[in-house]
Amino acid sequence: MTPPSSPPDTTVKKPGRVRRPKSARAGGQMHAGPIAYVILALFTIGSLFPLVWTAIAASRDNNRLAQTPPPFWFGGNLLDNLDVAWNDANLGEAFFNTTIVAGTSAATVVFLSTIAGFAFAKLKFRGRGAMMLIVIGTMMVPPQLSVIPLYMMVAKLEWTDQLQAVILPSLVSAFGVFFMRQYLIQALPDEIIEAARVDGASSWRVVWHVVFPAARPAMAVLGMLMFVQTWNDFLWPFLVLSQTGNPTVQVAVAGLGRGYTPDQSLIMAGALLGTLPLLLVFAIFGKQIVGGIMQGAVKG
């Protein structure tokens, strides 16, 4: 007699939990591999090499820089060369003038570009597309083509060797308008503008209380870019300013080391002094600017 067969097991087994790596979990950080670290290290060294070489050359004398191979480590003449460059090039006045020019230009470009970018991004008016194409088209024109007519205009106004000759041509920027337009298209929802209109806000109140707060990250980035660009501008200030009148930093540095044999160590010392304020500004505000970009990207 055969024993009765046991009933089949009808219980449903739960599948085992699959453990995902930490980098794949929600909110987990992705860790870079060794190849990524090597590539980043190479890019960092390549980016820092010009600045390090400028400091090395500024710490040597002209005879050592003319030898082969060139020096690859710091010398003992850095402070002396910096002191000579500061006094010979009148860099104190040059720093003051450049701060006025770069600060005024950056603030005006940010203000006007934000307003114009908002108009092109959110306002509907006849000819908006054609006007935007014209603005973008001005970016295709080489700036060297405008040097002669602009210089004739400045000479007729008797603005040569005056700071307004450098400030006024840099108060507007086609790139700034295009940059702010592209940012506000994504970062500023139409519903917020319509809500402000319903509450009775005027156009300027919408700009001041809605557009400017939403565009703050992009405004910080644009201001930084315009400040650096104006600070480093050389061609136009060199044409309309003199080294003994109202020089900017780049014009003042251009007068260093002149002679039958240019003193490269003094030129490098002046270039290093002209670069330090930009490094200081980025060291102070760089984290806020990058954080603002990421915040704006998440909002958009």
Side-chain angles (χ1 to χ4, degrees):
M1 184 175 181
T2 60
S5 59
S6 60
D9 188 6
T10 59
T11 58
V12 179
K13 295 182 179 180
K14 297 181 179 181
R17 295 182 59 183
V18 179
R19 297 185 60 86
R20 293 180 297 175
K22 292 183 179 180
S23 59
R25 298 177 187 175
Q29 290 184 340
M30 299 182 64
H31 297 278
I35 298 179
Y37 282 108
V38 172
I39 295 175
L40 291 175
L42 292 177
F43 273 99
T44 303
I45 294 173
S47 301
L48 291 177
F49 178 76
L51 181 62
V52 174
W53 166 249
T54 301
I56 292 175
S59 65
R60 298 286 183 166
D61 55 21
N62 206 33
N63 294 329
R64 180 63 185 91
L65 293 179
Q67 297 177 4
T68 303
F72 292 101
W73 193 246
F74 297 93
N77 298 329
L78 180 60
L79 296 180
D80 294 337
N81 290 336
L82 292 178
D83 182 66
V84 173
W86 179 271
N87 294 319
D88 287 359
N90 195 15
L91 284 179
E93 182 181 0
F95 275 122
F96 180 75
N97 293 338
T98 310
T99 302
I100 294 177
V101 172
T104 305
S105 300
T108 308
V109 166
V110 170
F111 180 76
L112 297 178
S113 297
T114 304
I115 296 177
F118 165 68
F120 282 117
K122 297 300 178 180
L123 300 184
K124 299 185 184 300
F125 54 90
R126 184 176 299 178
R128 181 179 66 170
M131 293 178 64
M132 192 63 211
L133 288 177
I134 294 175
V135 172
I136 296 176
T138 59
M139 299 169 59
M140 310 301 173
V141 180
Q144 291 80 5
L145 295 180
S146 62
V147 167
I148 295 177
L150 192 58
Y151 186 84
M152 295 173 61
M153 184 183 302
V154 169
K156 183 175 291 187
L157 294 174
E158 298 181 354
W159 283 356
T160 54
D161 206 15
Q162 297 183 27
L163 293 182
Q164 59 261 34
V166 182
I167 294 175
L168 289 181
S170 61
L171 292 183
V172 294
S173 171
F175 168 76
V177 175
F178 176 76
F179 179 80
M180 295 305 302
R181 173 187 176 271
Q182 295 302 112
Y183 181 85
L184 290 174
I185 288 176
Q186 299 293 332
L188 184 60
D190 296 335
E191 292 78 6
I192 298 179
I193 302 176
E194 294 174 359
R197 295 288 190 187
V198 170
D199 291 340
S202 61
S203 298
W204 280 110
R205 191 167 184 178
V206 170
V207 170
W208 189 261
H209 292 283
V210 177
V211 177
F212 283 165
R216 191 174 301 163
M219 292 170 67
V221 175
L222 181 61
M224 184 73 178
L225 293 176
M226 292 296 105
F227 186 88
V228 173
Q229 177 181 335
T230 309
W231 185 281
N232 292 330
D233 192 13
F234 172 74
L235 177 60
W236 178 244
F238 184 77
L239 293 176
V240 296
L241 301 179
S242 65
Q243 294 155 357
T244 57
N246 290 312
T248 58
V249 171
Q250 309 306 327
V251 176
V253 172
L256 283 173
R258 287 189 170 182
Y260 183 77
T261 303
D263 194 337
Q264 300 294 333
S265 61
L266 287 183
I267 296 175
M268 292 298 180
L272 183 62
L273 287 173
T275 308
L276 290 179
L278 297 180
L279 297 177
L280 181 63
V281 169
F282 188 79
I284 296 175
F285 300 105
K287 187 175 181 180
Q288 287 78 4
I289 292 174
V290 175
I293 295 175
M294 299 304 298
Q295 182 182 2
V298 172
K299 287 184 178 181

